[in-house]
Amino acid sequence: MTPLTVSVRQRSGVDLVCLSGELDRGTLGQLATALRPPLDAPRPRIVVDVAGLRFCDSRGVRGLMEGQRQAEGAGGGLRLIGVRGTMARLLTVAHLVDRFPPYDSLEHASRWAATG
């Protein structure tokens, strides 16, 4: 098991959350804790970089979906970048590609944040 590492910083007008390691039932609390401050902002604009994830299970995806739901409920949003490999297949199989539209870079996602 690879522990989850989470970092959060402001970049290009968004809260950039970088994940590496494994996002699963055992590490989901770390994601929730990291998302709490950005989600408390008015109209949160959050970009989660999942390129460093080696593993993500259905609970991890549900955690991302919950963060997105909360962000949208506050008038903002949560987007993913770095989606490839296993994560891309997981989102495709679960029919979540429309829920997490593809953004290929922070710059691309930042344009979303600027326009809403």
Side-chain angles (χ1 to χ4, degrees), residues 26-82:
T27 60
L28 189 57
Q30 287 176 257
L31 175 65
T33 299
L35 289 177
R36 194 167 297 126
L39 286 170
D40 286 342
R43 294 187 54 136
R45 302 286 190 199
I46 303 167
V47 174
V48 180
D49 185 347
V50 297
L53 286 180
R54 293 182 177 180
F55 176 80
C56 182
D57 69 5
S58 62
R59 295 251 179 130
V61 171
R62 276 189 261 166
L64 292 167
M65 290 173 58
E66 177 61 19
Q68 185 185 59
R69 185 192 66 75
Q70 289 179 28
E72 289 175 351
L78 181 148
R79 299 295 185 260
L80 302 180
I81 61 173

Side-chain angles (χ1 to χ4, degrees), residues 12-14 45 47 108-116:
S12 303
V14 301
R45 302 286 190 199
V47 174
H108 186 199
S110 296
R111 284 193 299 262
W112 153 79
T115 61

